[in-house]
Amino acid sequence: MESTIAAQLATNSAKGNEIEQILGLKYWFGTPPQASLNHWPISVLAILSTLILIVVLIIVAIKLLKKGLNPPQQKYLTKLALVLAPFGPLGWLLVLARMFEVVFFSARFWWVAWFITLFIAGLWLAREYKKLPTQQIQYQTYQLKKRYFPKKRKR
């Protein structure tokens, strides 16, 4: 009976130390230990960074290849590409900093900041996407009105 209580106390104190460690500044701003650098999360982060870069390149290709886009759609695709473009290369820089053990940039804090800004950018782009149908309607009504505007006279 005493051995199980001692084992429970040991596991509870280990969990307490783990939580203390996660809440400490050294965990977020210090260089991760070498053992944690060789695990799969680096490859997952590298794949995520590459996918973001590929998505941006696909968006740019669609914008360049499709001539049938109206100006509100072109404006949204431009915003999408410009907002997401820095995330791919920046993610790769963070992956390389982690692999080469660059002290300041290999901290976990930078990944948390990267994910938070990516999430905020995604929310902002979703909000802009919701505005797209009304902007398209405004553009179509402008095109109809433009037909009846007086033409400029050539002198």
Side-chain angles (χ1 to χ4, degrees):
M1 183 82 170
E2 286 182 22
S3 63
T4 58
I5 294 173
Q8 286 179 350
L9 287 175
T11 56
N12 287 341
S13 65
K15 287 180 185 177
N17 289 339
E18 188 176 301
I19 291 173
E20 260 181 47
Q21 182 185 11
I22 289 174
L23 294 177
L25 290 177
K26 187 176 180 183
Y27 180 81
W28 293 105
F29 292 101
T31 304
Q34 182 63 30
S36 73
L37 296 176
N38 296 329
H39 289 58
W40 62 270
I42 288 182
S43 61
V44 170
L45 297 174
I47 290 170
L48 183 64
S49 299
T50 305
L51 286 177
I52 290 173
L53 191 61
I54 289 171
V55 165
V56 169
L57 292 176
I58 288 172
I59 291 168
V60 170
I62 288 172
K63 184 175 187 231
L64 292 176
L65 294 177
K66 270 199 167 180
K67 299 296 180 186
L69 296 175
N70 57 22
Q73 290 172 335
Q74 289 178 344
K75 185 178 175 182
Y76 177 72
L77 283 178
T78 303
K79 283 181 188 177
L80 190 67
L82 289 175
V83 168
L84 292 180
F87 286 102
L90 189 61
W92 264 105
L93 285 175
L94 292 175
V95 166
L96 290 175
R98 207 147 209 234
M99 287 172 60
F100 293 128
E101 298 179 28
V102 178
V103 176
F104 185 66
F105 292 111
S106 64
R108 292 175 178 99
F109 165 77
W110 292 111
W111 280 108
V112 171
W114 189 81
F115 279 115
I116 289 173
T117 54
L118 181 62
F119 181 72
I120 291 171
L123 289 178
W124 182 75
L125 288 171
R127 191 185 75 187
E128 290 293 317
Y129 184 74
K130 287 181 183 178
K131 294 179 187 177
L132 190 60
T134 58
Q135 291 175 348
Q136 288 178 336
I137 291 171
Q138 288 174 349
Y139 177 72
Q140 290 170 351
T141 57
Y142 169 74
Q143 289 291 62
L144 287 173
K145 291 177 186 176
K146 188 174 144 183
R147 233 188 318 180
Y148 299 107
F149 288 158
K151 307 289 186 229
K152 291 184 180 179
R153 294 183 184 171
K154 295 182 181 178
R155 293 186 182 188

